[in-house]
Structures are given as structure tokens and as C-alpha cells.
Amino acid sequence: MNNGAGKRINGGVEEDDEEDDVNGDLDAWERTYTDERSWESLQEDESGMLRPIDNQALYHSQYRRRLRSLSSTAARIQKGLIRYLYIVIDLSKAASEMDFRPSRIAVIAKHVEAFIREFFYQNPLSQVGIVTIKDGVASCLTDLGGSPESHINALMKKLECSGDSSLQNALDLVDGYLNQIPSYGHREVLLLYSALSTCDPGDIMETIQKCRKSKIRCSVIGLAAEMFICKHLCQETGGTYSVALDESHFKELILEHAPPPPAIAEFAVANLIKMGFPQRAAEGSISICSCHKEAKVGAGYTCPRCKARACELPTECRVCGLTLVSSPHLARSYHHLFPIAPFDEVSSSRLNDPIRKQQRNCFGCQQNLLDSVNKAGLAVVCPKCKRYFCLDCDIYIHESLHNCPGCDSFRHSKAATANED
């Protein structure tokens, strides 16, 4: 019996090895189709034929639904533009599981890099720090700062996974750092949690209440199953809790934390903030950097109050405590205060109506809107300037440009006419 079982086990191992050898003989593009379950990307049309799913149309429809849901409450929500966010990454042995290909930690590192870049693009006045959990101990990988490259480089060097995870130790560590943040800053924590348990030295419920009193908004993205303690943490601190189903879902969930979240009503207090606009030093100048406490040659930024040197912006002067920013940072934060209203959908029948002389080309890219409608299902029109756009330009205007080209051209033409008069 035992020998037979052993043979079956060995046989199974040998069969698995043979399958691995077969996959190893395939080219990279063949392995992609083998691994990614490409048959799930097919759908049956009206005539019974199999056709590939139109992912672009699905993306457009999801974008329009998200835009409508956000716009329904955007006019009544106060958002925090100066955010102090700690990304807590679980590096316990659970993060080395391979249910996400090639592993959970590889997927986390890939999308955390994209998230950090997107975060600083949408929040130029904010700062990010990284905390890791390994062997039941939480450690600060990078301090709060405004340089995406320094965070990404430090993270890519520390991706080893081992031991258990401790949610309480991570919250205690982050609470100690965020308590030093000024009152105008919005304190946030984003936990990327892979484990199904937490090994804590004390009562984690007290730690959660301490985070709530410290006005720290905690959000969790789980890579395994739902955990009660994570859900309770998010409910108590006003954050969000979600569990990733696959890599694409994880990417969508983590990028949802890039835009500024709604400010909690009891913590939303208006403040006037002193800011300095430093001048860039000459290329050949030599000065002592207040950040690294060493002499550096090359361009830097000089604090307008105490004349200390800083390497990057935005930051806080280490000598006088003045917040140092540049004017482009303020300009890029402006669109969160006054977002563009969602464009109205236009049906193909309205564009084809011969009685109405409608605009037939996209005002942005100048392509034929009828072709765009036939492919994606609809076009859009700005409610203010009444200019028509395709869906690709609609997405670009709302997510990247943050200005309507039709409204801007109308204002410029109106100003030019006034000057001529």
C-alpha cells in the first residue's frame, strides 16, 4: 500500500516535471497564451461565432460609470491636498505565495512602483513613506519624502519574505511617525496585506482606537481572504477595505488610492499654511545639504527664510520648518479643487440626424465621431462649450489634462475679440 502510494506520488511528480519540460520548450509568446487562459477572452456573438472580447469598449463603459459615481458627490466633498501617506507592505512568508504570478510580492512591487509615480503626479504637495513587516517586526524602509525614485529604489532592494506578520507593530510604528505631522496634513496608511493572521504582542483593539484618535485614515488591500480585524480597522478609521481577486483587480484597487480621498468631516478643518518658493542654486555651487548633512556640488534649492539647502521639492526645511514647494506643484493640485464636469453622452442617432447640423469630428483629435461611435458605442459633449469629443479624448481630458480644450479655446477667442475692440 505504502509503496503503491509512493509510486503514485512519484509518478505525479514525474508527470509534473514532464509538463514543466514541455512548457520550457515553448517560446515566450506561446507560454503567455498557455498561462493566461486565453479562451476566457472569447465571447459568442449573435450568430453563434466566437469573437474576442472588446476590451476597449469594456474599459470605456467602466470609466463612464466611475466618472458618474464620482461626479454625483464631488461638488459636496472636501479633499485633502497635502497628504502624508505610509505604504505598509507585508513581507511575511505569505507574500511569497505563488497564487499571483510569479508571486504575490513580485506583483506588489510592480504595482507599488506604478502607484508611487501616479500618487506624486496627482498629489505633488504630498509625501510618502514605506514600512515593511517581516518576522513579526515592523521597520521603516523610507522616511516621508517627495522623491519617487528614492522610495522605489529602496523597495526593490528589500523584497525578501520571511516569518509572520504583525499588524499591531506596524500600526504602532506608523502612529509614532504620523503624530509628528502638522494639523493641516492628512494622515493616511495603506496596508498591502498578504497574511491570513497577525501575530501581535498586545491588544490590537487599543492600537486601532489610538489610530482613530490620531486622525489616521487606514485602508487595507488584501491579497488572500477577508479578515475581520482588517475590516474593523478600516471601519473605525474611515478607510476602505478590499480584497484583490487577481493582478488586474489589484492594480485597479491600489490606483484608486492615488486621488485625494474625501476628508473626514470632524477632521476637515481649514488652515492657512506658510509656504516658501525656493530658488534653484547654481550648477557649480558647493553647499551643505540639510537633508543628508553633507557637502554637495550641483544644483539644489535654497530656502527663502534661512538660506539652507534642500535637494528636492516638495519638502520641509530641516532648519526652520518652512514648507518648500514650487509653483508647478500648486498648479497641478488645482484640478482637485475644481474638477471638470463629466461630459454628456451622445448617441449615434443624434450624430446621424440630417436635420441637426452637429459636429462630426472630435474637437480634440479630429477623428470622425461616427467611426468612433460605431466602434465604442457613444461620443460625449461638453455641457459648457458644446464641443464633441471621442471617448479616448474624454478619458485624457478628465484623467490627465484636467482642462476642456473647447472651453479654453472659447475663452481665448473671446479675449482676443475683446482686445481687438
Side-chain angles (χ1 to χ4, degrees):
M1 293 292 291
N2 294 337
N3 293 336
K7 291 179 180 179
R8 284 195 296 272
I9 293 174
N10 293 334
V13 173
E14 292 174 0
E15 291 177 0
D16 292 340
D17 292 341
E18 291 176 0
E19 291 179 0
D20 292 339
D21 293 339
V22 172
N23 291 334
D25 295 336
L26 298 177
D27 293 330
W29 66 272
E30 292 177 312
R31 287 198 301 272
T32 300
Y33 285 103
T34 302
D35 296 339
E36 295 296 334
R37 304 167 67 89
S38 57
W39 58 86
E40 294 182 356
S41 300
L42 300 175
Q43 63 181 356
E44 188 175 353
D45 61 8
E46 299 164 351
S47 61
M49 302 292 289
L50 291 177
R51 304 287 184 188
I53 296 176
D54 189 355
N55 292 323
Q56 186 177 13
L58 291 176
Y59 174 70
H60 284 157
S61 62
Q62 292 173 358
Y63 163 76
R64 295 296 301 176
R65 286 197 301 270
R66 185 174 73 252
L67 194 63
R68 284 194 294 267
S69 64
L70 292 176
S71 63
S72 61
T73 56
R76 303 184 299 274
I77 289 180
Q78 179 179 349
K79 295 185 176 181
L81 299 184
I82 302 180
R83 306 166 61 188
Y84 295 88
L85 171 69
Y86 268 103
I87 305 173
V88 180
I89 302 177
D90 179 10
L91 293 182
S92 64
K93 59 184 178 182
S96 60
E97 294 289 336
M98 302 177 65
D99 48 353
F100 288 74
R101 289 190 299 268
S103 65
R104 291 180 183 177
I105 188 56
V107 171
I108 290 174
K110 172 184 174 183
H111 294 296
V112 165
E113 177 181 357
F115 169 75
I116 291 176
R117 298 186 189 280
E118 181 67 17
F119 179 87
F120 282 113
Y121 176 77
Q122 297 201 33
N123 307 270
L125 300 179
S126 302
Q127 297 185 28
V128 166
I130 299 178
V131 169
T132 58
I133 313 173
K134 184 192 295 186
D135 297 322
V137 178
S139 57
C140 183
L141 187 61
T142 59
D143 295 325
L144 289 171
S147 172
E149 297 300 330
S150 61
H151 297 303
I152 293 171
N153 293 336
L155 176 62
M156 295 307 171
K157 297 176 182 177
K158 299 287 184 180
L159 295 179
E160 299 83 8
C161 304
S162 63
D164 297 323
S165 181
S166 176
L167 188 60
Q168 183 183 13
N169 287 337
L171 293 177
D172 283 333
L173 180 65
V174 170
D175 178 69
Y177 287 127
L178 291 180
N179 266 332
Q180 306 171 15
I181 297 303
S183 59
Y184 59 78
H186 289 255
R187 308 166 184 178
E188 301 176 40
V189 176
L190 176 60
L191 293 104
L192 308 178
Y193 210 70
S194 299
L196 284 172
S197 61
T198 173
C199 183
D200 301 324
D203 187 359
I204 191 173
M205 294 298 180
E206 295 180 359
T207 303
I208 293 176
Q209 292 304 317
K210 185 170 64 173
C211 291
R212 181 181 179 181
K213 293 179 181 178
S214 300
K215 305 177 183 180
I216 300 176
R217 178 192 181 101
C218 300
S219 299
V220 181
I221 299 178
L223 282 85
E226 181 177 302
M227 291 177 59
F228 167 78
I229 192 62
C230 294
K231 187 174 183 179
H232 179 71
L233 168 66
C234 298
Q235 290 174 345
E236 289 293 318
T237 59
T240 59
Y241 180 46
S242 49
V243 178
L245 303 177
D246 50 33
E247 182 176 353
S248 60
H249 188 216
F250 176 75
K251 177 183 178 181
E252 180 181 344
L253 291 176
I254 193 173
L255 289 180
E256 286 179 356
H257 293 273
I264 302 175
E266 57 183 305
F267 304 149
V269 180
N271 291 286
L272 293 177
I273 306 169
K274 287 186 178 181
M275 289 188 176
F277 297 88
Q279 294 183 349
R280 189 173 179 86
E283 291 292 335
S285 61
I286 302 176
S287 59
I288 297 177
C289 173
S290 61
C291 310
H292 302 88
K293 309 254 185 331
E294 60 184 21
K296 287 194 173 184
V297 180
Y301 299 94
T302 304
C303 175
R305 176 187 288 175
C306 66
K307 307 304 179 183
R309 174 194 168 117
C311 293
E312 59 193 22
L313 298 178
T315 187
E316 184 176 303
C317 180
R318 299 293 181 90
V319 178
C320 64
L322 181 66
T323 301
L324 304 179
V325 298
S326 63
S327 54
H329 291 152
L330 291 179
R332 279 161 48 193
S333 300
Y334 182 80
H335 66 267
H336 290 303
L337 298 177
F338 304 98
I340 302 178
F343 293 168
D344 300 326
E345 298 179 2
V346 180
S347 61
S348 57
S349 59
R350 182 177 173 183
L351 288 174
N352 286 317
D353 190 352
I355 299 177
R356 299 178 179 177
K357 294 183 178 180
Q358 303 289 353
Q359 175 188 337
R360 298 297 178 89
N361 293 332
C362 172
F363 187 78
C365 62
Q366 297 300 314
Q367 76 171 7
N368 194 317
L369 284 176
L370 296 178
D371 295 339
S372 174
V373 167
N374 290 331
K375 291 179 181 178
L378 51 86
V380 293
V381 58
C382 175
K384 294 182 179 180
C385 65
K386 305 303 179 183
R387 299 289 188 177
Y388 287 76
F389 298 91
C390 65
L391 285 180
D392 289 329
C393 289
D394 177 32
I395 294 174
Y396 175 70
I397 288 171
H398 283 88
E399 294 191 348
S400 299
L401 192 60
H402 304 295
N403 288 288
C404 175
C407 295
D408 288 345
S409 64
F410 177 76
R411 284 194 293 268
H412 291 161
S413 61
K414 189 175 180 180
T417 305
N419 292 332
E420 291 177 0
D421 295 340

